[in-house]
């Protein structure tokens, strides 16, 4: 084998050649890392609903072919020129939001966005090719591959003792839901919260509400099979909108003397986003949009906001990406947050289409795929 980082690596990846079709396991080429880039051997990657969103709804926003996957953990194989923060052998988590520490956003405590992110630059390059075609790197990460190349601003170094097949979940879903409650909504002790959607992000939001000291946490989902799991994460009450003739916002208003203090929409459905806002109490209710979608417009009556409700959104739970991932890995290692409990299935990269089916059918919360041996 050549000196690390100086050669093209041939490896396996799951390629999406077109929308709404199964992924195909192919041999791809992964070029050496260029300036400020890190080439990572991906050990474990989990499947997030955003990956499915792209295949099903996001086809207008993205070009194909591409390699999906953005919730993963691995080991640095090599680094490009100018990289000082990482070295071969470091355990890392790639992240879809950068933290360059230099731009106006990184320097502001008001946001976790970064002006130098691969996605926001609009000029994402790719080190991945297959059959002579460039493969687009979804979210700048593309972790459904044995190797990938990521900008150093979008990689977090983690505790060498951290189990990669668990902490991979901290690359997206858990931080997104937990942080939406703790950082964005800033849930207060003794408050009443409603969480809409009990996938991994919603369960993490429930966990965040509990950690923040919420007194009542109402879990809302049309699949009652998810209620036991939600209870494990701290939910105190459960509502299935299909059990009621009234709009869900009215049901929650009746349960809480006029509405909840905080609501979090963790699905990515504009109708549910409206319901979540209108479930909040007037005067100070805060509703956070957490689920991703970019297909339909939002709507509500202006009076909802005129009466003092706040409608806001949250990307990656408001965590500054590198700092947040390290903080959450430490919290996991110190047994302050749950991670293992989100994992319902363990598969391999070859079984990626099975993982997609499980998620589509609502049978899994998180499926972790073993991509490479450590």
């Amino acid at each position: 084998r050549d000196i690390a980082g100086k050669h093209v690596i041939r490896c396996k990846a799951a390629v999406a050649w077109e929308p709404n079709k199964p992924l195909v396991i192919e041999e791809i080429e992964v070029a050496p890392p260029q300036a400020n880039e890190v080439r990572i051997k991906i050990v474990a990657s989990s499947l997030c609903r955003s990956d499915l969103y792209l295949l099903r709804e996001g086809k207008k926003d993205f070009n194909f072919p591409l390699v999906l996957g953005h919730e993963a953990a691995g080991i640095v194989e090599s680094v490009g020129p100018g990289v000082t923060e990482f070295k071969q052998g470091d355990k890392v988590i790639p992240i879809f939001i950068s933290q360059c520490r230099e731009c106006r956003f990184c320097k502001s405590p008001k946001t976790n966005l970064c002006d130098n992110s691969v996605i926001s630059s609009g000029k994402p390059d790719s080190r991945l090719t297959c059959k002579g075609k460039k493969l687009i790197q979804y979210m700048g990460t593309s972790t459904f591959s044995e190797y990938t190349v990521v900008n150093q601003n979008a990689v977090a170094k983690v505790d060498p003792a951290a189990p990669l097949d668990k902490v991979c979940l901290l690359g997206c879903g858990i931080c997104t839901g937990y942080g939406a409650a703790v950082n964005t909504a800033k849930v207060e002790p003794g408050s009443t919260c409603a969480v809409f959607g009990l996938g991994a992000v919603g369960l993490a939001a429930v966990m965040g509400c509990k950690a923040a000291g919420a007194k009542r946490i109402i879990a809302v989902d049309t699949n009652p099979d998810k209620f036991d799991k939600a209870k494990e994460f701290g939910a105190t009450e459960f509502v299935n909108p299909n059990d009621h003739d009234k709009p869900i916002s009215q049901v929650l208003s009746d349960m809480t003397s006029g509405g909840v203090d905080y609501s979090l929409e963790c699905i990515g459905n504009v109708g549910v986003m409206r319901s979540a806002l209108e479930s909040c109490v007037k005067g100070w209710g805060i509703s956070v949009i957490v689920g991703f979608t970019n297909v339909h417009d939002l709507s509500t009556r202006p009076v909802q906001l005129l009466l003092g409700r706040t409608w806001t959104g949250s990307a990656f739970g408001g965590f500054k990406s590198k700092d947040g991932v390290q903080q959450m890995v430490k919290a996991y290692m110190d047994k302050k947050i749950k991670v293992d409990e989100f994992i319902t299935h363990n598969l391999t990269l070859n079984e990626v289409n099975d993982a997609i089916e499980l998620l589509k059918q609502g049978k899994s919360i998180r499926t972790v795929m073993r991509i490479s041996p450590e």
Side-chain angles (χ1 to χ4, degrees), residues 187-193 206 208-217 234 236 262:
V187 169
E188 293 179 353
S191 61
T192 297
C193 304
V206 168
C209 292
K210 184 181 180 184
K215 187 174 169 194
R216 294 176 69 187
I217 303 168
T236 58
Y262 304 94

Side-chain angles (χ1 to χ4, degrees), residues 84-270:
T84 54
E85 193 183 336
F86 304 98
K87 62 182 187 308
Q88 196 180 355
D90 283 347
K91 282 190 174 183
V92 292
I93 291 178
I95 322 159
F96 62 90
I97 287 186
S98 301
Q99 188 182 0
C100 72
R101 304 189 192 280
E102 300 295 322
C103 72
R104 58 186 177 149
F105 288 148
C106 282
K107 286 180 172 172
S108 166
K110 293 179 181 175
T111 182
N112 65 331
L113 301 183
C114 172
D115 250 347
N116 291 314
S117 116
V118 176
I119 301 169
S120 63
S121 71
K123 304 189 288 280
D125 199 3
S126 172
R127 304 285 162 254
L128 279 49
T129 52
C130 182
K131 299 179 181 173
K133 281 193 171 167
K134 244 188 188 186
L135 297 171
I136 291 161
Q137 286 192 240
Y138 177 57
M139 308 282 258
T141 53
S142 288
T143 61
F144 294 170
S145 174
E146 291 175 328
Y147 287 85
T148 190
V149 177
V150 181
N151 187 286
Q152 64 171 347
N153 290 335
V155 181
K157 192 191 302 193
V158 300
D159 184 338
L164 297 180
D165 60 343
K166 304 290 191 288
V167 296
C168 60
L169 270 62
L170 297 172
C172 178
I174 296 180
C175 287
T176 297
Y178 188 88
V182 174
N183 301 326
T184 309
K186 295 184 168 62
V187 169
E188 293 179 353
S191 61
T192 297
C193 304
V195 175
F196 290 75
L198 300 174
V201 173
L203 292 172
V206 168
M207 179 167 72
C209 292
K210 184 181 180 184
K215 187 174 169 194
R216 294 176 69 187
I217 303 168
I218 305 167
V220 182
D221 201 294
T222 54
N223 179 356
D225 294 345
K226 295 189 172 177
F227 292 161
D228 283 346
K229 198 73 171 172
K231 188 173 185 178
E232 193 184 328
F233 283 91
T236 58
E237 295 152 75
F238 311 92
V239 179
N240 179 350
N242 294 338
D243 292 345
H244 300 271
D245 298 329
K246 290 183 289 195
I248 184 65
S249 54
Q250 188 60 52
V251 174
L252 291 174
S253 179
D254 292 347
M255 287 170 68
T256 55
S257 313
V260 299
D261 300 310
Y262 304 94
S263 69
L264 299 108
E265 197 278 357
C266 301
I267 300 165
N269 176 306
V270 294

Side-chain angles (χ1 to χ4, degrees), residues 58-73:
K59 41 188 183 285
K60 289 191 283 297
D61 299 336
F62 292 88
N63 294 315
F64 289 78
L66 50 78
V67 176
L68 293 169
H70 63 279
E71 191 175 272

Side-chain angles (χ1 to χ4, degrees), residues 5-26:
K6 300 293 187 219
H7 62 297
V8 171
I9 289 178
R10 285 184 174 75
C11 69
K12 255 189 342 186
V15 177
W17 289 104
E18 50 187 321
N20 291 318
K21 290 282 189 327
L23 306 187
V24 184
I25 303 296
E26 304 276 14

